[in-house]
Amino acid sequence: MLNMDFSQNVVINTTEQAWVVSPLAGVWRKPLAREDAERGHATSIVKYEAGASFTSHEHPLGEEILVLKGTFSDETGDYSAGSYLRNPPGFSHAPFSKEGCLLLVKLHQFLPNDTQRVCINTQTQPWRQGIGGLEVMPLHEFEGQHTALVKWPANEVFQPHSHFGGEEILVLSGTFQDEHGSYPKHTWIRSAHLSQHHPFVEETTIILVKVGHLMPHSSV
């Protein structure tokens, strides 16, 4: 098991992590949280080399993907950088990448009744005005869990706040900061239920944010 105690805050600069081989040639992983070697809850950065592919398979309790670089493909289509995908339980596919790609992948973390497939191209989706100078792009919402992109303009300071149900962040560009540290691009931050911080940025920064999914004793 890796980082499965959701009462603990975790910060990983994934650019400093070594790649770990997967069961299939040409597919590499940087594990961030993992319940078991090849099953159960998992959050990882995944790299497909050009031409790499998986055989057809399903994901019990779903699969959530954000394409960070390159193009990820399966029989439903080709998904370029910025694509956000949610494949619910029962969805089957045989993914591959012709040119290679880099992904954030979350497995086995859907709530039981969350059965809708989601496919959003965040490069063409409009931003909405958020608090202060923030801009927000909602991606998914279900039973108190919310996932969105948040764009911070340079020198923005957000209000101090706590996270009911926890918060998970992947920094997509720029550098995210709070009183606890500075988090450059591709840093993964998981903050426990009711944890607090006072975030700010000095440069324009975009983060992927998921909240409400880390309740005490929760396994998702």
Side-chain angles (χ1 to χ4, degrees):
M1 295 178 67
L2 173 68
N3 294 328
M4 290 299 295
D5 181 353
F6 300 137
S7 69
Q8 299 297 311
N9 295 346
V10 182
V11 176
I12 299 175
N13 183 345
T14 69
T15 63
E16 298 175 348
Q17 269 185 299
W19 289 104
V20 178
V21 296
S22 82
L24 289 180
V27 180
W28 301 80
R29 298 185 293 211
K30 294 182 177 184
L32 306 176
R34 180 168 285 276
E35 184 176 359
D36 203 348
E38 296 301 332
R39 61 182 180 181
H41 178 114
T43 298
S44 309
I45 301 295
V46 177
K47 178 175 67 174
Y48 281 62
E49 295 178 358
S53 63
F54 266 91
T55 55
S56 184
H57 60 277
E58 294 185 4
H59 293 287
L61 284 184
E63 174 186 52
E64 182 178 8
I65 294 172
L66 180 67
V67 183
L68 304 174
K69 184 179 179 181
T71 300
F72 172 79
S73 302
D74 63 16
E75 51 268 59
T76 67
D78 300 317
Y79 304 100
S80 58
S83 297
Y84 174 76
L85 308 172
R86 291 181 63 86
N87 298 323
F91 179 86
S92 177
H93 68 160
F96 62 94
S97 182
K98 292 181 180 178
E99 65 182 63
C101 63
L102 187 69
L103 315 170
L104 172 70
V105 180
K106 297 176 67 64
L107 303 177
H108 206 85
Q109 299 177 44
F110 280 39
L111 292 172
N113 296 324
D114 188 0
T115 59
Q116 181 180 2
R117 185 166 189 262
V118 175
C119 178
I120 296 173
N121 182 350
T122 67
Q123 300 295 338
T124 59
Q125 194 81 350
W127 292 93
R128 301 181 186 177
Q129 184 62 47
I131 297 174
L134 299 183
E135 293 181 86
V136 179
M137 184 185 301
L139 300 176
H140 180 257
E141 176 181 346
F142 189 82
E143 292 186 1
Q145 298 186 5
H146 301 263
T147 303
L149 296 185
V150 181
K151 182 189 296 184
W152 296 63
N155 301 311
E156 182 74 11
V157 179
F158 196 68
Q159 59 202 20
H161 62 281
S162 60
H163 306 121
F164 188 87
E167 178 185 64
E168 190 174 338
I169 288 173
L170 182 68
V171 182
L172 301 180
S173 66
T175 301
F176 184 69
Q177 300 180 72
D178 62 16
E179 68 271 36
H180 307 300
S182 180
Y183 316 106
K185 180 179 177 179
H186 289 179
T187 298
W188 181 72
I189 309 156
R190 195 183 69 197
S191 302
H193 173 60
L194 297 183
S195 59
Q196 302 180 38
H197 71 159
H198 188 185
F200 62 94
V201 301
E202 296 177 354
E203 61 180 316
T204 301
T205 298
I206 298 176
I207 60 176
L208 174 72
V209 182
K210 185 168 186 170
V211 297
H213 62 304
L214 298 171
M215 296 297 290
H217 310 300
S218 171
S219 60
V220 295

